[in-house]
Amino acid sequence: MSGAGSSVRRPVAAARSRGNASGSGPEPDARRAAAAAAGAAAARRRGRGDHGPLRLMEVSPRSLLLLGISSASLLLAVAFVAYTGVWRGRADGEAETPLRRVVRSVTPLDAPRMMDLPQFQGDHKESLYWGTYRPNVYLGIRARTPLSLIAGLMWIGAKNGQYFLRHVCQDSDELNKYGWTDHNGRDYGRQVLVDHGFLLTTSFLKEKGDGSGYGGDWAVRLDAKNEGSSLSEDQESTTHMFFYIADEAGNSITMGSHVPSSRGHVLLASGSHEEIGDWEVYLRSEDNLEIHKAGFKSVSMHNLSELVQQALATNAMQSGNLNLPDMAEDSSNIIVSQVSMKRSAKVDIVFLSGAASENPMIAERINRLTGPVLSTRLESKQKDFEKRYDQIFNVNNKINPKDLSVGVAALSNLLGGIGYFYGQSRIALPKGFTQKNGDKYIPYWPAALYTAVPSRSFFPRGFLWDEGFHQLVVWRWDVHISMDIIGHWLDLINADGWIPREQILGAEALSKVPEEFVLQHPSNGNPPTLFLALRDLASGIHANQFSDLESEKISTFLKRAYVRLNSWFQWFNSTQTGKSEGTFYWHGRDNMTTRELNPKTLTSGLDDYPRASHPNDEERHVDLRCWMLLATNCMCSIAEFLKTDSSLEKDYYKMSNQLSDFGLLNKMHLDDKTGAYFDYGNHTEKVRLRWFEVRDNDVMRRELLRETLQPPQLQLVPHVGYVSLFPFMMGAIPPESWVLEKQLDLISNNSILWTDYGLRSLSRASSIYMKRNTEHDPPYWRGAIWINMNYMILSGLNHYANEDGPYKDRAKELYDELRSNLIRNIVKNYHETGFFWENYDQKNKGKGKGARSFTGWTSLVVLIMGESYPTLHR
C-alpha cells in the first residue's frame, strides 16, 4: 500500500507510505483504564478534537461569471475559496490560474453517479444497511448512512498486573490473536480474539423479519472465557466488557433498566432514528452478570474509549470499584453498558429496529435472535458459508486439507474488514498558497466510501491501489458487493478525472492519522488497479461466467462506469506522460532531496523501489506503461460488449496496439544482456548516504545526507526486481520470445529473486538491496516478499504455462513451485502467529513482518489456493 502526497509511515518493522497512522508508534487509544482498589487513574492521551462543518458564504454572481463557472458544485467550491481567503501570500493578479485549478480539484465529475443506479437502491441497499462497518475497532457495527447509530465493544484486558482498556485495533495491545474466522460480507460473521488469558468469540447475525424497521434487526453474541492471567486470584475471576450504542446525529438515547424483566431479558437502551424509527437494544444471558451503565453526550465518536476510561477512573477514586457510575448526562447520545462476569459467560445482545416495548412481537423477535435459537441459526450460517466457499473457490483437491481454514480466514478477514466512511478528503493547495487561518488544504466534497481496508490496526481506511487487488477476491465471492465498492470509488472522481489515493473520511478515520500526513495532492496518481477487477467483469460476460441477472447488472454498471473510467484514464494519459509518445512516468518524485539514497516514488505504490537516482522529466517507468496497457485493454473490452464504435473507442484500440508493440517496449525498456525490463532516466549507481557535520544556528550536528560520487547520465536503471517483470505479469511477451526464457531465468535464480518463501521485491545483486533510504527509513520494497506482486507473477507463469511455446513446461514447473512456496509460508505464519502479514522476510525464513493483521492483498492467498487469476490480455 502506498502512495503519493503523504509521508512514509513506519509501522514497527517496516514503513508504508499510507500516511502515518501511528507516528512513532501505534496510537494509544486504549490506555490504562483505572487501577482497581487503589483507585488511581491511568495515564491517558487525549484524541484530536472533532472537525466541525465547513461554512460557505455567498459570492457575487459577477465574480462567478468572471471565472466562467456554471455548475452548482463548482459554485460551492468557489464560495469556500472566497470565504476562506485562500490566496494569502500571492498578488491578486497571480491567483486566477491556481484558483481554477484548485476549484476543479474539489469539483465532482459532471457525470451520472454510479450509486444512483437502480441496482444499488431498494432491496440491495437495505440488505447492506447494517454491518460490521467499523474495521478500526475490535467489534464495531454501523449503518451505511452518514449519521448512523454506531455500536461496539470494549473490554478490560490485563497484562503484567495492569489493566488496559481494549477498543481500537492496535498492535500495542499485543493481543495473541484477533480476526474473523467466518464472514459472508452481508449478515453473518464470527470472530475470535485472544487477549492473553481472556478468550472472546464474537458472532454477528442480521435479519429482516416481521415487524422490523428499515435495515432489519441484528444480534451480537459474546462468548467470553477468562483462563487466568498474572493478576491475583480474586481479580482474574471477574471480566469486564462494555457494549455501547451511540447516535452520531446527536439524538438522545434513553438508558434502560437495571433489573431483568420477567421475560428474561434486559432493556439496555432505546431511542429513535430518522431512517429506522424507534429502536431498542436488549441483553439476554443465562449466566450471573453484574450490569452497570453510563450515559454521555458528545459529538465526537472517535474518543469513546476515553469517555469510558475517565468514567471508570473517576468512579474508582470515589468508590474503589472498577464500575461505571450508573448515571447519565442530560440528553445522552451515548449509552455504555458494563457487563461483569465470573470466569466465563455467554451474552446475547439484540438490536431491534422499528420497535416499541409495548409491542407484543418484541419478545418473539428477541427469542429469534438470542439463546438456543440464535445458536442454531449461527451454526446454520456457518455451514452455509463454508459450503459457498467450497463452491466458489473449489480448493479441496488443490491444497492440503489442513490449510483450508487459512484460506477461509483470509476471505473472512477481508470481508469483515469492509467499512463505511463519510467525510471530506483534504486536498493540498498549490505550493506557496495558504488560507487565512493557516490551513494548506481545501476540502473535497462530502462523500461516502464503502470499501475494504488493508489492515484494521494500521490502515483502517480506503487505499486506491490496494482496492483493485481486494476486489479480485471480493467479486468472485459476491459480485454485487464488489460493484457497490467499485462504484463508490468511481464516484470520487473529480472534474479532472483524479481520485484521491488515500481516503481519510470522518473524525474516526482522522483520529488515526497525524495532521501532517492527511493531505492529498491532485497532481499525484496511484496504480489504476481497479481495472484488474473491471477487466474480469467485462471478460466474464463474454465467457458467460455469470447468471443472466448478474450479467444484466454488470452490463448496466459498466455502461455507466465507462464515462468515469474514460475520465480517469485521460487523467493518467495527460498528467503522467513522458517526453516521448507512448512513454509514462510517475510524477511527484522529489528532485531536490538530499536525504534520500534514492528518491521515493510513492505514487507507484512501490515506494522506495529504486528508480533513476536523479528524477527529471526524461524518466520512463515500465510499470506505469504496463498499467496503462491494462487500462486500455480494459476500456477496449468494455467497448466491445457495449458495441460502441466512436472515435474514442478507436483511439483506445490504437493506443492498445501501440502499448502492445513488443519491439517498441524492448527498445524503450529492455536490457538485452539480462533480459530484464528497466526504467529509464538520469541515473548513477555511485551514490551513498554519508554522515556530514552541519551547522544549524551556530550549533554543529551530524546529518545523514546523500553524496553523489559520479555525475548521472540518461540510461536504463539497472535494478532487477518486481518492476523488471511487469511486462511478464501482463502477458506482454510473446510465448516464443527469447526474452521469456531470460525472464524465467531471473525468476528462478536464487541469487536474484527466488526464495523458498516467495519472490524477493529486489535482486540480492542490486546495489540498493536492503539499503536504508534515509536515517529513519529502513528498506521496504528493497527485498521483502509482497503477496500482491507474487500473485501477479504467478498469474504470468500460469498464462505462459498454458500458451504453446518452447518455455511452456518450464513456466509450469516454476508456477507449481512458487505457488506451493507461497501457500506454505503464509499458512505457516498464520498458524504460528494467528495473523496475516503485510510482507514476508526473505532473509529470516519467510517470517511475517511489517503490519500484522494485514489481510488486504495478502488475502490473494485465497485465489492462489484456488488457482484463479485475472484476465489481463485482450
Side-chain angles (χ1 to χ4, degrees), residues 420-465:
Y420 177 89
F421 308 90
Y422 189 87
Q424 293 174 275
S425 292
R426 297 181 177 183
I427 309 305
L429 293 171
K431 190 174 182 179
F433 289 86
T434 184
Q435 295 186 33
K436 286 182 178 178
N437 64 3
D439 286 344
K440 295 184 178 182
Y441 69 88
I442 183 172
Y444 225 46
W445 63 89
L449 181 62
Y450 174 60
T451 184
V453 303
S455 168
R456 291 169 62 191
S457 56
F458 277 103
F459 312 113
R461 52 194 177 278
F463 288 85
L464 180 55
W465 100 287

Side-chain angles (χ1 to χ4, degrees), residues 790-852:
N790 272 269
Y791 173 76
M792 294 295 289
I793 294 164
L794 264 185
S795 176
L797 287 168
N798 181 65
H799 167 71
Y800 289 112
N802 289 283
E803 290 285 310
D804 289 335
Y807 313 111
K808 177 178 181 177
D809 292 343
R810 189 175 180 209
K812 174 66 168 127
E813 180 183 344
L814 289 175
Y815 167 81
D816 288 339
E817 192 171 355
L818 178 58
R819 175 178 174 270
S820 176
N821 288 347
L822 289 166
I823 293 173
R824 183 176 62 252
N825 191 57
I826 293 171
V827 167
K828 177 175 179 288
N829 273 274
Y830 182 80
H831 285 318
E832 289 180 352
T833 68
F835 294 99
F836 298 97
W837 292 82
E838 183 180 15
N839 54 67
Y840 295 87
D841 194 338
Q842 80 288 0
K843 296 169 63 178
N844 188 16
K845 298 182 179 180
K847 184 177 180 181
K849 66 175 188 175
R852 71 173 190 169

Side-chain angles (χ1 to χ4, degrees), residues 507-528:
E508 197 164 31
L510 278 166
S511 69
K512 295 283 288 182
V513 186
E515 199 75 41
E516 62 268 27
F517 302 107
V518 168
L519 302 190
Q520 304 295 297
H521 296 260
S523 60
N524 294 345
N526 222 202

